[in-house]
Amino acid sequence: MEVSENTVAKGNGKQAVKPEGPENFLLSECIDMPVKSPEMIFEDLWPARTMGLFTGDGGVGKTHLALQLLVAIASGSEIEGIPFRCPTSRDVVYITQEDEADFIRGELLCQHPELKTQPEISERIRIISTALRGENLFLGNPKLCSYIAGNLTEGSVFVLDSWSTFLGTNESDNTELMKREIAPLRGIMKDRNATPLIIHHRPKPNQAGFQSSFRGGTALPNSCRFHIMIESAGVEVKLSFEKVSRGAKPDPLKLVFDEDSRLFVPGNLDRYVTVFRKVGKELTTSQVIEKLGKDPTDQKERKRVLNALGQRDAIQKILGGKKGQDAVWKRVK
């Protein structure tokens, strides 16, 4: 029987596929061949089939921003005011071991209610959760890695939320992490030509006040070609670009979390500020509520708007309303 170069004969007459070797060539053999531009998940920031890392403090909103990124990838669009531009649409898979699947589904539909009438996008988004059902998906378990790979379409992007829940080893042990966790993850990537985005918690500040941008050893961030981080900055959060694939890193951005839409928006697009249209504009509390499309007689809504206005540095109260009367607010930035 003829044996191809990719198989090896075994003693029992059966054949086994040889592991695929690395790219290996003499430069002279392809000196005149054009150099291919890499496929990008986010233009100028993150190449396809390379590991991405998203770190941040606990409770700051990593999951919500990750969902925004996935919808942008699934739709091949960009996020207004934030330099995440997707040149092509891709299937995405959100794998969480912390949040229930229904919670993720609810937050996605709150952020993007239009997905209910956009099957061409919603069909690209898969949610997997072990929070309530199923065994924990450890990367060190070949059977469970096969399960992950089996749910990834060719060229898709998948999120692991959060990194430590997929590990069976000490994340500070670089050697073990590379061998038992990152190597199987790379196997999944190669098998499906897929791109992982790893969500990871930041450690708390040490006694000297220093706070690292990631927890554990250096094996994970060193293996990633793209690394973003969010951290609390008062009512806002700061989004910083710790590592990008090409060119200069974008400047850090201040983002505001909109409680109604469950979306992060740049400060200059914050609807509690833009409702005033320009610096110097004055509005009463009821006028603000009406311009936001809400009912000014709804006391619960009124309390939420008052709280939001009081937290904005760009908004200043210039007249405090007496009981039953409106306060007056002015945009100062």
Side-chain angles (χ1 to χ4, degrees):
M1 179 182 294
E2 183 178 346
V3 179
S4 74
E5 63 179 357
N6 290 323
T7 61
V8 57
K10 298 177 70 174
N12 57 8
K14 295 182 180 180
Q15 297 178 10
V17 177
K18 289 194 303 185
E20 185 179 1
E23 294 182 277
N24 183 341
F25 56 84
L26 287 171
L27 179 60
S28 59
E29 295 174 347
C30 53
I31 197 74
D32 293 323
M33 291 177 62
V35 177
K36 296 179 182 178
S37 297
E39 294 180 46
M40 303 297 291
I41 304 300
F42 298 137
E43 289 181 359
D44 299 326
L45 300 177
W46 185 19
R49 298 184 295 278
T50 68
M51 293 166 57
L53 178 60
F54 179 15
T55 58
D57 300 323
V60 77
K62 296 187 294 298
T63 296
H64 289 95
L65 184 54
L67 294 177
Q68 284 181 250
L69 299 181
L70 286 191
V71 172
I73 295 169
S75 58
S77 60
E78 62 181 280
I79 300 178
E80 185 179 8
I82 309 176
F84 294 125
R85 291 177 290 275
C86 306
T88 186
S89 57
R90 298 173 183 272
D91 290 351
V92 298
V93 180
Y94 193 93
I95 309 174
T96 176
Q97 310 208 96
E98 297 184 335
D99 293 312
E100 300 89 344
D102 224 36
F103 168 77
I104 297 298
R105 183 174 68 91
E107 294 301 288
L108 266 174
L109 293 178
C110 182
Q111 289 183 342
H112 299 280
E114 68 276 8
L115 288 173
K116 292 182 179 180
T117 58
Q118 294 177 330
E120 71 280 4
I121 299 176
S122 62
E123 288 174 355
R124 289 186 173 276
I125 302 172
R126 178 176 293 277
I127 301 169
I128 298 174
S129 170
T130 65
L132 296 181
R133 196 172 72 225
E135 60 184 310
N136 214 70
L137 298 173
F138 290 111
L139 290 171
N141 185 318
K143 181 187 77 171
L144 299 177
C145 282
S146 294
Y147 175 83
I148 294 173
N151 280 280
L152 304 180
T153 55
E154 186 80 7
S156 59
V157 173
F158 63 106
V159 170
L160 302 181
D161 185 10
S162 65
W163 174 243
S164 59
T165 65
F166 291 83
L167 305 182
T169 57
N170 182 353
E171 63 183 313
S172 296
D173 188 327
N174 289 316
T175 300
E176 288 297 297
L177 199 65
M178 286 295 297
K179 182 170 62 174
R180 301 186 182 277
E181 319 288 353
I182 294 178
L185 177 59
R186 291 194 184 281
I188 295 172
M189 294 166 61
K190 292 177 181 178
D191 181 56
R192 308 306 296 150
N193 282 320
T195 306
L197 177 62
I198 297 164
I199 299 181
H200 195 24
H201 297 295
R202 292 179 75 194
K204 295 180 179 180
N206 61 20
Q207 291 183 342
F210 173 76
Q211 186 176 14
S212 173
S213 61
F214 58 89
R215 192 171 68 189
T218 58
L220 177 61
N222 288 349
S223 298
C224 295
R225 295 278 300 278
F226 173 67
H227 180 187
I228 57 174
M229 180 176 69
I230 58 172
E231 55 191 309
S232 179
V235 69
E236 300 173 314
V237 301
K238 184 175 79 169
L239 169 66
S240 56
F241 297 81
E242 302 295 297
K243 183 191 289 188
V244 298
S245 175
R246 311 186 141 201
K249 293 190 293 186
D251 292 331
L253 293 174
K254 290 291 184 69
L255 304 177
V256 175
F257 184 66
D258 188 303
E259 289 286 350
D260 284 343
S261 68
R262 315 299 285 171
L263 294 169
F264 279 102
V265 297
N268 63 335
L269 297 179
D270 179 6
R271 65 196 180 111
Y272 286 100
V273 177
T274 59
V275 73
F276 286 82
R277 298 183 64 85
K278 61 182 180 180
V279 175
K281 177 73 173 178
E282 297 179 7
L283 293 172
T284 66
T285 304
S286 291
Q287 288 173 325
V288 171
I289 297 172
E290 288 175 348
K291 287 180 178 292
L292 291 172
K294 306 292 183 179
D295 180 3
T297 65
D298 184 330
Q299 294 305 310
K300 184 177 179 181
E301 193 63 51
R302 194 175 191 88
K303 183 177 180 180
R304 180 160 49 174
V305 171
L306 284 169
N307 182 59
L309 290 172
Q311 291 180 330
R312 267 60 180 178
D313 292 337
I315 307 300
Q316 188 176 92
K317 184 192 287 188
I318 60 173
L319 182 63
K322 297 180 181 179
K323 187 173 183 180
Q325 296 181 336
D326 272 341
V328 179
W329 306 83
K330 180 178 181 178
R331 180 173 174 178
V332 295
K333 292 182 183 179

